[in-house]
Amino acid sequence: MSNYSEEYSFSSFSKLPFYKKINKRLLDLAKIENQKSIVDLGCGTGLITKLILKKIKKDANDCIVYAVDHSSNALKTASEEIGEKKQATVKFIHSEVQNLKEVLKDKVEAVIYCNSIHYVPDKLSLIKQIKNQLKSDGIFVFNTSFFEGSHPPETHKFYRKWMIRSLRVLKTEYGLSPDKSAKVESRKQLTPEEYISILENAGFNVVVKDIQRIEVPKDGYHHISGFSDWIEGILPGVPLDKGCDVLQKSLKDVWDDMKLSSVPRLWLSISAVKKN
Ligand SMILES: C[S@@+](CC[C@H](N)C(=O)[O-])C[C@H]1O[C@@H](n2cnc3c(N)ncnc32)[C@H](O)[C@@H]1O
C-alpha cells in the first residue's frame, strides 16, 4: 500500500486486469466517447474516472467529469492518481450519492455507476434523482456483482469453507469473534428483473441487460479482503488489520485445499436511456 489513504481502500482490487475489463465494457455501453458531461457515481479511488478520461477524445477540453463518493480517503487517492495531467475537467464531489440533486447543479449526458448500486437501500429514489439529473436522451449505466443470483451454486461451498476457516483463525489467533450488533444493515439483493422494473418505474427505457460469468482469480479475493467495506460486511466489529489478515490467510488455505484456479461470479450490467 503506497500511502495511508490507500489502506483498506478498493484501489488494489480495482487495478486487477479482469476488473478493468468488465468496466471498460460498461463504458462502451454508455458510448462514453460521445459524452461531454459525465457523472462517475461512487467513484472510489478513481479507476473508472481514469478509464473515462482515457476514452474521451484527446482534445476534449470541453468535457467535464463529476466524480462523487462519500469516502474522503477514496477521493484523496483518486485526485492524487489522476493529478493535473488530464484533458477534461474533473470535479471531485464529497457526498452521499443519495444527495445527488443537492450537489450537482448542472444536468449531464451520462451517469456511470460501477459496482456500488447495491450499497443503496432505496434504489427507486436514487434512480429517480439520476433521471432528473440527465439531459434529454441521457444515458445511465451500472454494473454490480451483488445481485440475487450473482453467486453460482457451485461456489457456495468455497464461501462457506472460507467463512468457517476465517472465524476459527480469528478466534484462535486473536481471541475475537465478529460483533453481531455491529453488523452493517443487510441490503436486500435485487434480481435483474427487479432492477429493470425499478428503472422503468423511474422513467428509463432499458437498452441492454447483460449477465457475464467472470472467473475471479485468487488475487481478486485476496485484494477484496483488504477493502474496509468487505471486511466490515463479513467480520463486523473486527479491527480492519486483524480482519484483513484472517481473511487473506484463510483464503490461501481454502484455495489450496480445494485446488481452485478461479471462483466464478456473475456480473450484471445494464444500460438505460431517459424516457422523454
Ligand atoms: C466497491 S467501490 C467501487 C468504486 C468504483 N466505482 C470502482 O468501481 O472502482 C464502492 C464505492 O462506493 C462508495 N459508496 C458506497 N456507498 C456510498 C454512498 N451512499 N454515497 C457515496 N459513495 C458511496 C464507497 O465509498 C466506495 O468508494
Short mmCIF file of all heavy atoms in Angstrom, two decimals, residues 193-220:
data_model
loop_
_atom_site.label_atom_id
_atom_site.label_comp_id
_atom_site.label_asym_id
_atom_site.label_seq_id
_atom_site.Cartn_x
_atom_site.Cartn_y
_atom_site.Cartn_z
N GLU A 193 -34.45 -8.64 -12.88
CA GLU A 193 -35.79 -8.21 -13.28
C GLU A 193 -36.28 -7.09 -12.36
O GLU A 193 -36.95 -6.15 -12.79
CB GLU A 193 -36.78 -9.38 -13.24
CG GLU A 193 -36.54 -10.45 -14.31
CD GLU A 193 -35.20 -11.19 -14.16
OE1 GLU A 193 -34.76 -11.44 -13.01
OE2 GLU A 193 -34.59 -11.50 -15.19
N GLU A 194 -35.94 -7.18 -11.06
CA GLU A 194 -36.35 -6.10 -10.14
C GLU A 194 -35.64 -4.80 -10.50
O GLU A 194 -36.23 -3.71 -10.44
CB GLU A 194 -36.05 -6.51 -8.69
CG GLU A 194 -37.06 -7.52 -8.16
CD GLU A 194 -36.68 -8.13 -6.80
OE1 GLU A 194 -35.48 -8.39 -6.55
OE2 GLU A 194 -37.60 -8.38 -6.00
N TYR A 195 -34.35 -4.90 -10.86
CA TYR A 195 -33.65 -3.68 -11.29
C TYR A 195 -34.35 -3.07 -12.52
O TYR A 195 -34.56 -1.85 -12.59
CB TYR A 195 -32.19 -4.00 -11.64
CG TYR A 195 -31.25 -3.93 -10.45
CD1 TYR A 195 -30.63 -5.06 -9.95
CD2 TYR A 195 -30.98 -2.70 -9.82
CE1 TYR A 195 -29.77 -4.99 -8.86
CE2 TYR A 195 -30.13 -2.63 -8.73
CZ TYR A 195 -29.53 -3.77 -8.25
OH TYR A 195 -28.69 -3.69 -7.17
N ILE A 196 -34.71 -3.92 -13.45
CA ILE A 196 -35.33 -3.41 -14.68
C ILE A 196 -36.66 -2.74 -14.37
O ILE A 196 -36.96 -1.65 -14.87
CB ILE A 196 -35.49 -4.57 -15.70
CG1 ILE A 196 -34.10 -4.91 -16.23
CG2 ILE A 196 -36.42 -4.19 -16.84
CD1 ILE A 196 -34.03 -6.13 -17.11
N SER A 197 -37.42 -3.36 -13.48
CA SER A 197 -38.72 -2.78 -13.16
C SER A 197 -38.56 -1.42 -12.45
O SER A 197 -39.29 -0.46 -12.74
CB SER A 197 -39.49 -3.82 -12.36
OG SER A 197 -40.26 -3.26 -11.40
N ILE A 198 -37.55 -1.30 -11.58
CA ILE A 198 -37.30 -0.01 -10.91
C ILE A 198 -36.90 1.04 -11.95
O ILE A 198 -37.38 2.19 -11.93
CB ILE A 198 -36.19 -0.17 -9.84
CG1 ILE A 198 -36.73 -0.99 -8.67
CG2 ILE A 198 -35.70 1.18 -9.35
CD1 ILE A 198 -35.72 -1.25 -7.56
N LEU A 199 -36.04 0.66 -12.88
CA LEU A 199 -35.61 1.61 -13.92
C LEU A 199 -36.82 2.10 -14.72
O LEU A 199 -36.96 3.30 -15.00
CB LEU A 199 -34.59 0.94 -14.85
CG LEU A 199 -33.17 0.81 -14.28
CD1 LEU A 199 -32.40 -0.27 -15.02
CD2 LEU A 199 -32.43 2.13 -14.36
N GLU A 200 -37.68 1.15 -15.09
CA GLU A 200 -38.83 1.55 -15.90
C GLU A 200 -39.77 2.46 -15.10
O GLU A 200 -40.25 3.46 -15.60
CB GLU A 200 -39.55 0.31 -16.43
CG GLU A 200 -38.74 -0.31 -17.58
CD GLU A 200 -39.21 -1.69 -18.01
OE1 GLU A 200 -40.07 -2.28 -17.32
OE2 GLU A 200 -38.68 -2.17 -19.05
N ASN A 201 -39.96 2.12 -13.81
CA ASN A 201 -40.82 2.97 -12.97
C ASN A 201 -40.23 4.36 -12.78
O ASN A 201 -40.96 5.32 -12.59
CB ASN A 201 -41.00 2.36 -11.57
CG ASN A 201 -41.94 1.20 -11.61
OD1 ASN A 201 -42.74 1.10 -12.52
ND2 ASN A 201 -41.81 0.29 -10.64
N ALA A 202 -38.90 4.44 -12.80
CA ALA A 202 -38.25 5.73 -12.57
C ALA A 202 -38.19 6.57 -13.85
O ALA A 202 -37.78 7.72 -13.81
CB ALA A 202 -36.83 5.51 -12.04
N GLY A 203 -38.58 6.00 -14.98
CA GLY A 203 -38.61 6.79 -16.22
C GLY A 203 -37.48 6.50 -17.18
O GLY A 203 -37.04 7.39 -17.91
N PHE A 204 -37.02 5.25 -17.20
CA PHE A 204 -35.97 4.86 -18.15
C PHE A 204 -36.48 3.77 -19.10
O PHE A 204 -37.32 2.96 -18.72
CB PHE A 204 -34.75 4.29 -17.42
CG PHE A 204 -33.86 5.33 -16.79
CD1 PHE A 204 -34.00 5.65 -15.44
CD2 PHE A 204 -32.90 5.97 -17.54
CE1 PHE A 204 -33.16 6.60 -14.85
CE2 PHE A 204 -32.06 6.92 -16.97
CZ PHE A 204 -32.20 7.25 -15.62
N ASN A 205 -35.91 3.74 -20.30
CA ASN A 205 -36.04 2.58 -21.19
C ASN A 205 -34.76 1.78 -21.09
O ASN A 205 -33.68 2.33 -21.34
CB ASN A 205 -36.22 3.01 -22.65
CG ASN A 205 -37.61 3.54 -22.91
OD1 ASN A 205 -38.59 2.99 -22.40
ND2 ASN A 205 -37.69 4.61 -23.67
N VAL A 206 -34.89 0.50 -20.74
CA VAL A 206 -33.68 -0.33 -20.64
C VAL A 206 -33.24 -0.73 -22.05
O VAL A 206 -34.05 -1.20 -22.85
CB VAL A 206 -33.96 -1.57 -19.76
CG1 VAL A 206 -32.79 -2.55 -19.82
CG2 VAL A 206 -34.22 -1.12 -18.33
N VAL A 207 -31.96 -0.51 -22.34
CA VAL A 207 -31.44 -0.81 -23.68
C VAL A 207 -30.72 -2.16 -23.67
O VAL A 207 -30.92 -2.99 -24.54
CB VAL A 207 -30.47 0.31 -24.15
CG1 VAL A 207 -29.95 0.02 -25.55
CG2 VAL A 207 -31.15 1.67 -24.09
N VAL A 208 -29.84 -2.35 -22.68
CA VAL A 208 -29.07 -3.61 -22.62
C VAL A 208 -29.14 -4.17 -21.20
O VAL A 208 -28.95 -3.42 -20.23
CB VAL A 208 -27.59 -3.37 -22.99
CG1 VAL A 208 -26.77 -4.63 -22.77
CG2 VAL A 208 -27.44 -2.91 -24.44
N LYS A 209 -29.42 -5.48 -21.10
CA LYS A 209 -29.24 -6.19 -19.83
C LYS A 209 -28.29 -7.33 -20.14
O LYS A 209 -28.56 -8.15 -21.02
CB LYS A 209 -30.56 -6.77 -19.33
CG LYS A 209 -30.39 -7.53 -18.04
CD LYS A 209 -31.51 -8.51 -17.75
CE LYS A 209 -31.18 -9.88 -18.27
NZ LYS A 209 -32.12 -10.94 -17.92
N ASP A 210 -27.16 -7.33 -19.44
CA ASP A 210 -26.13 -8.29 -19.81
C ASP A 210 -25.64 -8.97 -18.53
O ASP A 210 -25.34 -8.29 -17.54
CB ASP A 210 -25.01 -7.47 -20.46
CG ASP A 210 -23.78 -8.28 -20.74
OD1 ASP A 210 -23.91 -9.27 -21.45
OD2 ASP A 210 -22.70 -7.91 -20.26
N ILE A 211 -25.60 -10.30 -18.54
CA ILE A 211 -25.05 -11.02 -17.38
C ILE A 211 -23.84 -11.81 -17.85
O ILE A 211 -23.96 -12.66 -18.74
CB ILE A 211 -26.09 -11.94 -16.73
CG1 ILE A 211 -27.26 -11.09 -16.20
CG2 ILE A 211 -25.47 -12.75 -15.58
CD1 ILE A 211 -28.36 -11.87 -15.55
N GLN A 212 -22.70 -11.49 -17.26
CA GLN A 212 -21.45 -12.14 -17.68
C GLN A 212 -20.95 -13.01 -16.55
O GLN A 212 -20.96 -12.57 -15.38
CB GLN A 212 -20.39 -11.07 -17.87
CG GLN A 212 -20.07 -10.68 -19.27
CD GLN A 212 -18.83 -9.80 -19.24
OE1 GLN A 212 -18.79 -8.78 -18.55
NE2 GLN A 212 -17.81 -10.20 -19.96
N ARG A 213 -20.45 -14.19 -16.90
CA ARG A 213 -19.82 -15.05 -15.89
C ARG A 213 -18.33 -14.73 -15.90
O ARG A 213 -17.65 -14.88 -16.93
CB ARG A 213 -20.06 -16.52 -16.26
CG ARG A 213 -19.52 -17.50 -15.26
CD ARG A 213 -19.87 -18.91 -15.74
NE ARG A 213 -19.07 -19.89 -15.07
CZ ARG A 213 -19.54 -20.72 -14.12
NH1 ARG A 213 -20.80 -20.68 -13.78
NH2 ARG A 213 -18.75 -21.59 -13.55
N ILE A 214 -17.83 -14.28 -14.75
CA ILE A 214 -16.44 -13.85 -14.67
C ILE A 214 -15.68 -14.84 -13.77
O ILE A 214 -16.10 -15.10 -12.64
CB ILE A 214 -16.33 -12.43 -14.04
CG1 ILE A 214 -17.18 -11.42 -14.82
CG2 ILE A 214 -14.88 -12.00 -13.92
CD1 ILE A 214 -16.66 -11.09 -16.19
N GLU A 215 -14.57 -15.36 -14.28
CA GLU A 215 -13.74 -16.27 -13.47
C GLU A 215 -12.83 -15.38 -12.61
O GLU A 215 -11.85 -14.82 -13.11
CB GLU A 215 -12.91 -17.18 -14.38
CG GLU A 215 -13.74 -18.20 -15.16
CD GLU A 215 -14.49 -19.19 -14.27
OE1 GLU A 215 -14.00 -19.53 -13.19
OE2 GLU A 215 -15.59 -19.62 -14.68
N VAL A 216 -13.19 -15.21 -11.36
CA VAL A 216 -12.41 -14.32 -10.49
C VAL A 216 -11.19 -15.08 -9.96
O VAL A 216 -11.32 -16.14 -9.35
CB VAL A 216 -13.27 -13.79 -9.32
CG1 VAL A 216 -12.45 -12.88 -8.40
CG2 VAL A 216 -14.49 -13.03 -9.85
N PRO A 217 -9.99 -14.52 -10.20
CA PRO A 217 -8.78 -15.23 -9.75
C PRO A 217 -8.57 -15.05 -8.25
O PRO A 217 -9.22 -14.19 -7.62
CB PRO A 217 -7.66 -14.54 -10.54
CG PRO A 217 -8.18 -13.16 -10.80
CD PRO A 217 -9.67 -13.27 -10.90
N LYS A 218 -7.62 -15.81 -7.72
CA LYS A 218 -7.32 -15.72 -6.27
C LYS A 218 -6.99 -14.28 -5.87
O LYS A 218 -7.41 -13.80 -4.81
CB LYS A 218 -6.14 -16.64 -5.96
CG LYS A 218 -5.82 -16.74 -4.50
CD LYS A 218 -4.71 -17.74 -4.36
CE LYS A 218 -4.08 -17.78 -3.01
NZ LYS A 218 -2.86 -18.60 -3.02
N ASP A 219 -6.24 -13.59 -6.71
CA ASP A 219 -5.89 -12.19 -6.43
C ASP A 219 -7.11 -11.34 -6.12
O ASP A 219 -7.05 -10.41 -5.33
CB ASP A 219 -5.26 -11.56 -7.69
CG ASP A 219 -3.79 -11.76 -7.72
OD1 ASP A 219 -3.28 -12.42 -6.81
OD2 ASP A 219 -3.15 -11.24 -8.67
N GLY A 220 -8.20 -11.61 -6.84
CA GLY A 220 -9.42 -10.83 -6.64
C GLY A 220 -9.91 -10.95 -5.21
O GLY A 220 -10.18 -9.95 -4.52
#
